[in-house]
């Protein structure tokens, strides 16, 4: 299983942000915990259809040193399509 990060390009509250995603929800949460993220920063259904964490550019750098795979915008969209869920219940076929 893999964990992915896109480019930190989203400016919010004076910082650049990006997305941390994984092929598997359990892996996403394990990696986020190792990265020091709190579960309260998790974004998933019903708020969004693709489970992820929003992380800062600094956290992105640490995540990459820990083994996360850097993705382009197109690649992270492909990950989004693979892991998205409907109504928080079932995985949608890509």
């Amino acid at each position: 299983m893999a964990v992915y990060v896109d480019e930190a390009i989203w400016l919010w509250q004076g910082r650049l942000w990006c997305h941390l995603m994984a092929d598997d929800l359990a892996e996403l949460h394990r990696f986020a915990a190792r990265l020091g993220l709190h579960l309260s920063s998790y974004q998933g259904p019903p708020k969004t259809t693709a489970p992820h964490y929003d992380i800062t550019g600094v956290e992105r750098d640490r995540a990459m040193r820990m083994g996360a795979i850097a993705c382009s915008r197109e690649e992270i969209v492909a990950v989004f399509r693979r892991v998205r869920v409907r109504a928080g219940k079932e995985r949608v076929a890509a």
Side-chain angles (χ1 to χ4, degrees):
M1 288 180 236
V3 176
Y4 310 92
V5 290
D6 59 352
E7 291 293 324
I9 61 169
W10 306 103
L11 183 60
W12 186 63
Q13 293 189 344
R15 294 182 180 185
L16 291 175
W17 295 76
C18 63
H19 304 98
L20 178 74
M21 302 181 85
D23 291 323
D24 176 79
L25 184 58
E27 177 65 19
L28 175 63
H29 290 311
R30 275 192 302 273
F31 193 92
R34 286 182 36 230
L35 190 56
L37 303 178
H38 296 280
L39 187 57
S40 62
S41 63
Y42 168 71
Q43 308 238 348
K47 187 175 181 180
T48 180
T49 59
H52 71 280
Y53 286 81
D54 291 333
I55 63 173
T56 66
V58 171
E59 291 164 330
R60 179 188 187 274
D61 292 342
R62 276 196 350 251
M64 289 181 52
R65 287 194 304 274
M66 292 170 53
I69 300 167
C71 292
S72 68
R73 175 128 174 92
E74 294 79 17
E75 291 167 325
I76 206 74
V77 167
V79 173
F80 177 97
R81 289 182 178 142
R82 278 199 314 270
V83 302
R84 68 186 171 159
V85 294
R86 276 194 199 121
K89 295 181 182 173
E90 63 186 71
R91 189 167 279 210
V92 178

